[in-house]
Amino acid sequence: MAEPPSSRLQRPLPDGVVPEAIVARTEKHWFMIMAAMLVVMMAVIVVTGVAGALHPASNVEIIESQTLHLGGEFVESNLGTAIEPDGSATVRLIAEQYDFVPHCVRIPADTPVKFRLTSADVVHGFLLPDTNVNTMVVPGFVAEVRTSFAQPGEYEMPCHEFCGLGHHAMWTHVSVVPKDRFAAQSSLERTRCAPE
Ligand code: CUA
């Protein structure tokens, strides 16, 4: 007579009924695995939030997305990088299918930067790789993210929320330049990345 399989999983079940003790033990094991996964995921959220300053924007600001171009903060002449009286920079961008306006912005290095974004149509995303900047851009709301760039550099900025057929081609460009070079640039050079 053949030896019964040693693995419990391969053993034929008596009348197809799994003993209650085995069910209870298996459930307990899966519960412990689920609890461990939850702990790991919570730890990832807490660590990235505390160490990387990666967290959802804490502000809730609403805006009328149909009339962005008619007046207020997001009129065309107000888009791009502006220097505040305290020396910090504010960058205003509109996300729309399938581009960001303006398509390229210059930002001074070593300066506190505040991005303010809104959408003219559907949900888009705004992500600057290797920084804490990562936000959804939701129509009807203003997304605000603060950061600063220690070094000059070039950032390609993909839209990372699927927003339609042209989503994959939706990019903008952020060009971080040394502070003194930035100060010498005209507003056109800053907001269009026009050649210096
Ligand atoms: Cu905009 Cu994807």
Side-chain angles (χ1 to χ4, degrees):
M1 215 174 122
E3 283 273 295
S6 56
S7 164
R8 195 171 65 227
L9 294 173
Q10 290 171 356
R11 228 175 276 155
L13 300 171
D15 308 326
V17 179
V18 184
E20 211 171 301
I22 294 184
V23 172
R25 206 181 323 140
T26 311
E27 279 185 346
K28 202 171 138 198
H29 286 165
W30 278 111
F31 173 79
M32 275 157 27
I33 291 171
M34 290 303 299
M37 284 167 70
L38 278 175
V39 168
V40 168
M41 285 189 278
M42 282 306 293
V44 168
I45 291 170
V46 170
V47 168
T48 54
V50 173
L54 259 181
H55 42 69
S58 55
N59 65 319
V60 177
E61 266 182 81
I62 54 170
I63 191 163
E64 187 62 62
S65 56
Q66 271 99 44
T67 55
L68 291 177
H69 57 297
L70 297 180
E73 182 181 348
F74 288 91
V75 289
E76 194 177 359
S77 58
N78 215 22
L79 299 177
T81 306
I83 297 298
E84 304 294 344
D86 66 0
S88 68
T90 302
V91 184
R92 293 184 179 87
L93 291 161
I94 292 180
E96 56 186 31
Q97 289 168 318
Y98 297 101
D99 203 355
F100 289 87
V101 186
H103 187 64
C104 180
V105 285
R106 285 221 170 87
I107 295 174
D110 204 18
T111 303
V113 181
K114 185 165 73 183
F115 285 96
R116 286 177 61 77
L117 299 112
T118 191
S119 168
D121 38 48
V122 300
V123 176
H124 299 278
F126 184 74
L127 168 82
L128 282 174
D130 302 325
T131 72
N132 65 321
V133 177
N134 182 353
T135 184
M136 285 168 84
V137 186
V138 182
F141 295 88
V142 177
E144 185 175 304
V145 197
R146 287 159 195 249
T147 190
S148 70
F149 301 88
Q151 298 294 330
E154 305 294 319
Y155 293 82
E156 293 295 346
M157 206 302 301
C159 171
H160 65 67
E161 290 285 341
F162 182 75
C163 52
L165 289 177
H167 161 71
H168 64 283
M170 186 167 168
W171 290 80
T172 188
H173 188 88
V174 171
S175 169
V176 181
V177 298
K179 230 174 175 171
D180 49 345
R181 217 173 95 200
F182 182 87
Q185 291 183 331
S186 70
S187 62
L188 194 69
E189 286 169 335
R190 290 174 185 179
T191 55
R192 305 281 147 85
C193 298
E196 293 162 69

